[in-house]
Amino acid sequence: MGKIYDVGIIGGGISGVVIALELAKNGVDTILFEQEKSVVNGPPFCHLHAGGNLYPDISDEQCKVLMKQSIDMARLFPQSIDERPTFISIPKSEKYEVDKIEKRLEMLVEYYKKLIDEDPSNEILGAPKDYYNIYTKEDLITLTEQPIIKRPNSSDEWMSNAIKLIDYQKLKTPVIIVQEYGWNLFRLGAQAQLALKKTNKCKLKTNTNVTNIKDVRNQNLDYNWEIYSKNTLSKVKYLVNSCGFKTGKFDQSLHLNTERLIEFKAAYVSKWQPIAGLIPELVFHGERGTPHGMVQLTPYCDDYYQIHGMTKDITLFENGLVKSKGNEIPAKFNNDINQKLHRGWEESEIKIRTENAIEFVTKFVPTFKSATVGGPPLYGAQQIPGDDPSLRVGEVSFPCKSYARSEIIKASSALTVANQIINKIQEEEIIPKINTTIDQSLLLDSISKNEIDKLASELAVQRGYPEALSRLVIERK
Ligand SMILES: Cc1cc2nc3c(=O)[nH]c(=O)nc-3n(C[C@H](O)[C@H](O)[C@H](O)COP(=O)(O)OP(=O)(O)OC[C@H]3O[C@@H](n4cnc5c(N)ncnc54)[C@H](O)[C@@H]3O)c2cc1C
């Protein structure tokens, strides 16, 4: 009789790998299935949403959750955090008010202080007093006269470099610099994969597509689920479905389908000319899905920049958001989107959409017109539980005994979900009670920076992206 694993995890995206790592730290035997060659290979992420400042419309509560979860993830994976801040602005054409954003930032500073009082190691975003800085029109005029700083060290220096490139006459003032950092998916994937291969508590099965699962909970066996892949059957006591937008496939086979949206989106890789000083991530707010949706320009090393433009010609797609009503049939994308997801993009569309994205940025950064296509887009589909497309925090659900479904919307929710699943597994007495007071971050910490550098760079190249995308603009001090 083959080995019985405590937990079987289907899907090695950020959610699945964090669950496997947390269980391994606690000595629980898991088997993790990922259909691709390497883990964290699904929809991309580039921004650590430590305060939700990219979303002017979400509730204060969601902002706080995003801040707390982002800090938790940054503590777990510090080597993937790019410590450059974010410039936030509202174009004069938009309805949002700077006052409201400022009030929310004040609230977030108080919340950040509280998190630090609870645990000083939460001070990941710098001192609370520096969490954000605001700049009036007069401040901006003064800063345009300051010299360019090659590697800025303060909010003023970041703003000074940025404002020389931005047509700020088009923006409401004040504008803001906030300590929301970059987040490197290649580095996180590399560290997670190396740690999972190192531990004897997780059997990592990449290149393994799970074709079916069988519920044997009523058969009085020592395990509850059978997981089938090409030629193998694996037996597990607890099943975690972390298949991202494909979770519906296994839900359907168990008649557990639920209401959810799935959304396809893309961000574009461009290459610009060298500029004299580093710039923060630049965000120009706008109404999502309209021709003046948000513009987000994310700096990487070697003059590469990633672009999100929240219009249907750039990041969003016609019919890119589809809905399942909780019946037995999971939502499906149309042929055009499926072609992109499963077989890749036509060169001509990469060119058109990346050029659209570059032009979109030039509305606010006129000299960006000299940028060119820098590589294939970063793209993918994600799920949103329920029917509200503006939801930014999704977590986990337990639709039946011994079964968890991960429903994260932002990569930052992965650790919260892992902890919720571990609690449930203990509650169901699949594993004994874990002593959470012991510091168990040894597994991830045992992976050296050199190892991460090397594998992250290989992953970027293997997936067809410039190697520079695997490096950090500003490494943690
Ligand atoms: C364009 C874009 C930009 C984004 N930017 C950000 C950002 O800046 N910050 C942020 O926090 N979030 C961002 N997100 C959201 C983030 O990417 C997702 O929340 C996150 O990646 C979801 O992780 P997951 O592990 O739940 O799912 P996924 O990453 O989709 O992982 C699911 C895994 O399951 C595997 N799988 C599926 N079916 C099977 C099967 N049958 N057998 C074996 N394996 C299977 C898949 O190959 C995949 O690796 C962005 C999303 C998009 C689309």
Side-chain angles (χ1 to χ4, degrees):
M1 180 171 137
K3 174 170 176 161
I4 298 173
Y5 292 89
D6 289 326
V7 184
I9 304 166
I10 314 178
I14 189 164
S15 185
V17 299
V18 171
I19 296 162
L21 286 165
E22 289 302 295
L23 286 167
K25 272 193 335 196
N26 289 298
V28 180
D29 268 329
T30 62
I31 181 162
L32 169 59
F33 301 88
E34 169 51 48
Q35 64 192 1
E36 300 294 337
K37 267 198 213 126
S38 52
V39 298
V40 192
N41 206 342
F45 49 87
C46 65
H47 187 93
L48 188 72
H49 291 278
N53 290 294
L54 259 52
Y55 306 112
D57 292 326
I58 64 173
S59 65
D60 285 3
E61 214 35 56
Q62 283 195 67
C63 292
K64 289 203 272 192
V65 175
L66 285 170
M67 176 180 262
K68 161 110 184 58
Q69 293 185 340
S70 296
I71 289 174
D72 290 345
M73 287 298 282
R75 285 179 59 177
L76 197 60
F77 292 100
Q79 306 242 26
S80 64
I81 304 300
D82 197 328
E83 283 197 0
R84 49 95 195 121
T86 300
F87 165 94
I88 303 271
S89 65
I90 302 175
K92 284 180 179 158
S93 56
E94 298 307 304
K95 61 175 182 180
Y96 307 114
E97 292 154 28
V98 188
D99 279 10
K100 269 200 180 158
I101 293 193
E102 232 184 296
K103 285 218 172 66
R104 212 168 72 170
L105 283 161
E106 284 166 20
M107 176 281 294
L108 282 167
V109 170
E110 290 313 306
Y111 182 64
Y112 182 36
K113 283 185 195 159
K114 190 169 151 258
L115 293 177
I116 297 170
D117 286 345
E118 283 166 9
D119 181 348
S121 307
N122 283 334
E123 195 169 335
I124 291 287
L125 311 168
K129 70 174 175 37
D130 300 326
Y131 175 64
Y132 77 95
N133 273 57
I134 62 166
Y135 296 86
T136 61
K137 194 163 180 186
E138 292 68 40
D139 296 332
L140 296 182
I141 292 168
T142 312
L143 285 176
T144 50
E145 279 147 25
Q146 302 298 310
I148 295 174
I149 309 286
K150 196 167 176 203
R151 191 185 183 286
N153 261 317
S154 64
S155 289
D156 287 2
E157 290 178 356
W158 283 104
M159 180 58 90
S160 164
N161 281 2
I163 211 64
K164 294 185 181 73
L165 299 167
I166 294 170
D167 181 359
Y168 63 87
Q169 303 299 343
K170 290 193 176 141
L171 305 177
K172 294 183 186 175
T173 45
V175 293
I176 297 155
I177 290 276
V178 64
Q179 301 304 319
E180 283 198 1
Y181 298 148
W183 199 5
N184 193 291
L185 77 94
F186 300 106
R187 301 184 69 78
L188 188 140
Q191 188 173 10
Q193 183 159 305
L194 289 162
L196 288 170
K197 285 204 168 147
K198 194 167 180 177
T199 172
N200 58 10
K201 285 289 161 193
C202 176
K203 183 154 186 61
L204 173 61
K205 290 183 72 87
T206 46
N207 285 314
T208 308
N209 177 33
V210 172
T211 48
N212 194 15
I213 52 172
K214 195 165 155 202
D215 178 359
V216 293
R217 287 175 300 167
N218 294 328
Q219 294 184 20
N220 216 8
L221 300 168
D222 293 337
Y223 58 95
N224 293 317
W225 303 94
E226 292 177 350
I227 303 178
Y228 292 85
S229 51
K230 201 170 171 205
N231 296 317
T232 50
L233 154 65
S234 308
K235 299 164 185 170
V236 306
K237 295 181 187 167
Y238 197 95
L239 185 65
V240 175
N241 178 352
S242 53
C243 288
F245 82 101
K246 294 243 173 96
T247 47
K249 172 177 167 177
F250 297 112
D251 282 348
Q252 183 187 19
S253 70
L254 299 172
H255 307 289
L256 292 174
N257 245 356
T258 179
E259 194 167 19
R260 64 161 71 86
L261 300 161
I262 55 173
E263 186 171 33
F264 178 82
K265 290 187 294 180
Y268 300 85
V269 178
S270 65
K271 174 115 180 154
W272 200 14
Q273 81 230 13
I275 52 174
L278 296 176
I279 56 168
E281 175 165 288
L282 304 180
V283 170
F284 306 93
H285 279 312
E287 199 178 334
R288 196 176 203 268
T290 67
H292 46 103
M294 180 186 78
V295 185
Q296 180 187 355
L297 185 70
T298 308
Y300 281 85
C301 292
D302 297 357
D303 313 305
Y304 284 97
Y305 294 81
Q306 186 189 319
I307 308 169
H308 285 82
M310 292 299 165
T311 77
K312 292 228 164 99
D313 298 332
I314 303 177
T315 289
L316 309 175
F317 288 74
E318 200 64 52
N319 303 316
L321 180 71
V322 293
K323 182 172 179 172
S324 289
K325 292 216 177 82
N327 55 24
E328 297 304 316
I329 305 157
K332 285 202 171 78
F333 291 117
N334 63 23
N335 288 344
D336 178 43
I337 292 179
N338 274 324
Q339 158 87 23
K340 290 188 177 64
L341 269 170
H342 302 297
R343 284 178 292 280
W345 290 51
E346 301 277 346
E347 279 301 318
S348 55
E349 196 167 3
I350 295 179
K351 187 169 183 303
I352 291 170
R353 283 201 174 242
T354 310
E355 287 174 359
N356 285 346
I358 291 169
E359 196 185 323
F360 204 51
V361 174
T362 63
K363 283 198 294 187
F364 303 109
V365 186
T367 48
F368 199 69
K369 68 173 182 301
S370 58
T372 51
V373 179
L378 291 141
Y379 63 93
Q382 64 181 110
Q383 64 170 328
I384 305 170
D387 66 352
D388 175 6
S390 67
L391 190 68
R392 293 290 167 253
V393 181
E395 292 177 356
V396 59
S397 59
F398 302 101
C400 68
K401 197 154 189 279
S402 307
Y403 180 75
R405 178 204 292 136
S406 169
E407 301 179 327
I408 67 172
I409 302 170
K410 290 292 162 203
S412 39
S413 302
L415 184 57
T416 308
V417 164
N419 288 328
Q420 287 166 336
I421 292 176
I422 291 175
N423 287 339
K424 194 72 178 176
I425 298 175
Q426 293 177 94
E427 218 177 279
E428 291 191 16
E429 297 182 351
I430 304 274
I431 55 170
K433 278 273 171 228
I434 291 168
N435 181 357
T436 47
T437 53
I438 304 169
D439 178 16
Q440 292 153 317
S441 47
L442 296 175
L443 177 56
L444 277 169
D445 291 352
S446 71
I447 310 299
S448 71
K449 177 177 178 305
N450 280 350
E451 289 173 284
I452 299 173
D453 288 349
K454 185 167 176 292
L455 183 58
S457 136
E458 282 168 20
L459 291 180
V461 173
Q462 214 176 70
R463 296 176 193 178
Y465 298 104
E467 186 273 334
L469 265 56
S470 69
R471 287 183 261 131
L472 300 176
V473 175
I474 304 282
E475 293 182 0
R476 275 190 76 73
K477 288 169 208 108

